[in-house]
Amino acid sequence: MKNIKFILIFLFLQGVCLAQNESAKLKTKDYIFLSLNYHQGTIMPTNPFVKGENETGLPIDKYRGASFKLGWQNPGYTQWQKVYHAPYYGIGFWTGDFNSRELGNPMALYGFLGIPLFRLKWMELYADLQFGTAWHWRYYDSITNPNNIAIGGSMTVYIDVGLNAFVPLSKRLDLGAGLTFSHFSNGGFERPNRGLNIYSPSIELKYHLRGRPETNGLPKAEKETKTHDLYLMLGYGDHQLNEHELDTNYFAVGGISAFYQLRHSNAWRSGLGVDMNYWWGLNANPDGTPGPRNLENLTFGLIYQPELIIGDLSLVLGIGMYARNYRYGNWNQFYQRLGVNYRIYNNLTFGVNIRAVNFMLAEFLEFNLGYRLKWERD
């Protein structure tokens, strides 16, 4: 079950590398680049372990990391490249040092996407998104590593969001600088899972193997038909309870969701939805063992869900409110959904989301199948 987390990066890589495959069919020149990136940042004090409840008794607040990237930046060969005005995209490998024996030296494989915000003759500014999976952690163990409540399993999700500016140094070499926010968590799949949150400045050297693409006078994207969408989704996940994070009891969560969304443009859609889930662990006993199976396990939520569309890939960010929840009460708790889904055949999609509350406390990983019905807007 742990290896299923590789699906996260598989979905993202499918999307960000889609244009590479399409470009090959068009027999066009691919503009490939290699880059080295270095981060040196600060770990946010979001849990007792990094605040000082560790073997040293001192805060774990320093971080440094390095990435190697292989990417492409083609000048609008495909529809989605036209929509995002020649973005860069590709795959990367990261390794980090948290200056802590209890965390180790993890590594990550990820897909990345850089969307241009503006271009000047002497500088380009991009919004940079990275999504993947990290491994090789020293994670929680009740005997050998009992303080580490930040990372509870051997693998985590890796999410990085930032701004990167690039200045050309020569015909093929760029110097970049940026500011990023990074998050590591396993979505409550294996607790303890308080996660790590990091902000860091970065520097990057980028080498264009075949020169830079011409970004002046990029072709315009064909306008997509604006539609009404009805999106139906089945979701499932396993998790441990946060209040019993040191137990070994796992509970299932299964549910259905329905969304009414509008396709606003080539790049995004949004709409309102309802989530209904049955949580086997919602009314667990005080010792963490399963409780009775009844309507207390049923939750109902209302959610607003925007989606960024990148070819067959969608990046999902939803913000909802629990209208019914045995644990939180009714209309007392916001929740969030962050993830990806990929159109695998016609209108059928597969995806993985992180469900969370308070924007940092993961509830569970939500693996899902969806089907989208569409009709044109007047």
Side-chain angles (χ1 to χ4, degrees):
M1 289 295 290
K2 294 178 183 178
N3 292 333
I4 200 168
K5 296 171 195 172
F6 277 112
I7 295 173
L8 290 164
I9 188 166
F10 171 76
L11 290 172
F12 194 80
L13 292 178
Q14 284 288 317
V16 299
C17 295
L18 179 63
Q20 166 66 11
N21 297 331
E22 294 178 355
S23 299
K25 294 177 183 178
L26 294 172
K27 296 182 179 179
T28 49
K29 178 181 177 181
D30 286 317
Y31 291 83
I32 304 171
F33 66 84
L34 302 174
S35 76
L36 290 174
N37 182 284
Y38 177 76
H39 291 247
Q40 185 157 330
T42 300
I43 302 169
M44 300 172 65
T46 54
N47 64 70
F49 171 67
V50 298
K51 288 179 180 179
E53 292 185 17
N54 53 64
E55 65 180 9
T56 67
L58 300 173
I60 301 173
D61 55 3
K62 302 300 181 185
Y63 153 79
R64 57 184 177 181
S67 288
F68 172 78
K69 299 178 183 176
L70 168 65
W72 293 264
Q73 186 171 18
N74 292 331
Y77 297 147
T78 64
Q79 173 73 350
W80 83 271
Q81 292 173 9
K82 297 172 187 176
V83 169
Y84 291 101
H85 308 290
Y88 61 73
Y89 54 96
I91 57 176
F93 175 80
W94 165 92
T95 183
D97 179 10
F98 295 90
N99 194 31
S100 168
R101 185 192 69 83
E102 293 167 285
L103 286 170
N105 298 104
M107 298 176 283
L109 185 66
Y110 60 88
F112 65 85
L113 172 68
I115 300 173
L117 300 179
F118 64 81
R119 288 185 168 107
L120 303 174
K121 286 185 178 180
W122 59 276
M123 185 189 74
E124 295 182 338
L125 181 67
Y126 291 82
D128 190 274
L129 309 174
Q130 300 177 8
F131 201 102
T133 188
W135 68 94
H136 203 252
W137 294 96
R138 286 213 69 208
Y139 52 92
Y140 171 83
D141 184 276
S142 60
I143 297 174
T144 62
N145 201 12
N147 299 311
N148 183 4
I149 62 171
I151 304 296
S154 60
M155 298 180 67
T156 67
V157 173
Y158 165 63
I159 301 172
D160 186 274
V161 180
L163 292 173
N164 280 338
F166 292 95
V167 175
L169 298 180
S170 67
K171 289 184 178 181
R172 298 198 176 192
L173 188 65
D174 293 345
L175 175 64
L179 182 65
T180 70
F181 170 79
S182 304
H183 175 72
F184 298 91
S185 167
N186 66 32
F189 192 81
E190 210 166 0
R191 297 191 192 273
N193 179 57
R194 302 297 180 90
L196 294 171
N197 298 289
I198 304 161
Y199 63 90
S200 59
S202 67
I203 58 172
E204 183 169 345
L205 278 177
K206 180 190 292 185
Y207 183 75
H208 300 267
L209 274 68
R210 306 180 73 177
R212 297 185 185 85
E214 178 57 57
T215 56
N216 292 324
L218 291 170
K220 292 185 178 180
E222 300 172 7
K223 288 188 177 180
E224 297 281 355
T225 303
K226 293 184 178 181
T227 60
H228 300 272
D229 292 12
L230 177 62
Y231 184 63
L232 306 174
M233 188 182 81
L234 295 175
Y236 178 82
D238 283 324
H239 74 121
Q240 290 180 284
L241 296 172
N242 191 64
E243 59 269 37
H244 299 288
E245 62 186 3
L246 305 184
D247 293 345
T248 57
N249 292 312
Y250 287 80
F251 298 95
V253 182
I256 58 175
S257 302
F259 303 88
Y260 168 68
Q261 297 177 310
L262 297 178
R263 174 80 180 245
H264 304 290
S265 70
N266 291 354
W268 74 291
R269 68 170 70 92
S270 71
L272 297 173
V274 293
D275 291 320
M276 187 167 62
N277 286 277
Y278 195 84
W279 299 60
W280 276 258
L282 203 62
N283 60 350
N285 296 317
D287 62 357
T289 57
R293 304 287 185 255
N294 53 41
L295 289 179
E296 292 176 347
N297 301 92
L298 186 66
T299 66
F300 185 80
L302 302 178
I303 187 168
Y304 172 67
Q305 186 160 299
E307 298 181 14
L308 188 67
I309 305 166
I310 310 168
D312 288 332
L313 185 82
S314 293
L315 304 183
V316 175
L317 174 61
I319 300 178
M321 169 69 79
Y322 281 121
R324 170 191 166 89
N325 191 295
Y326 174 74
R327 189 169 298 273
Y328 297 122
N330 301 340
W331 306 106
N332 287 332
Q333 179 64 57
F334 285 100
Y335 67 94
Q336 297 80 47
R337 172 184 279 131
L338 174 66
V340 296
N341 65 60
Y342 186 74
R343 187 172 68 90
I344 54 178
Y345 180 74
N346 288 338
N347 293 324
L348 184 67
T349 67
F350 176 75
V352 185
N353 303 313
I354 297 176
R355 285 280 297 268
V357 294
N358 302 328
F359 294 94
M360 62 179 179
L361 181 60
E363 292 191 294
F364 67 100
L365 277 180
E366 181 182 55
F367 299 92
N368 61 79
L369 280 174
Y371 191 83
R372 187 175 300 278
L373 301 169
K374 299 185 288 186
W375 62 97
E376 292 186 15
R377 294 163 59 185
D378 295 332

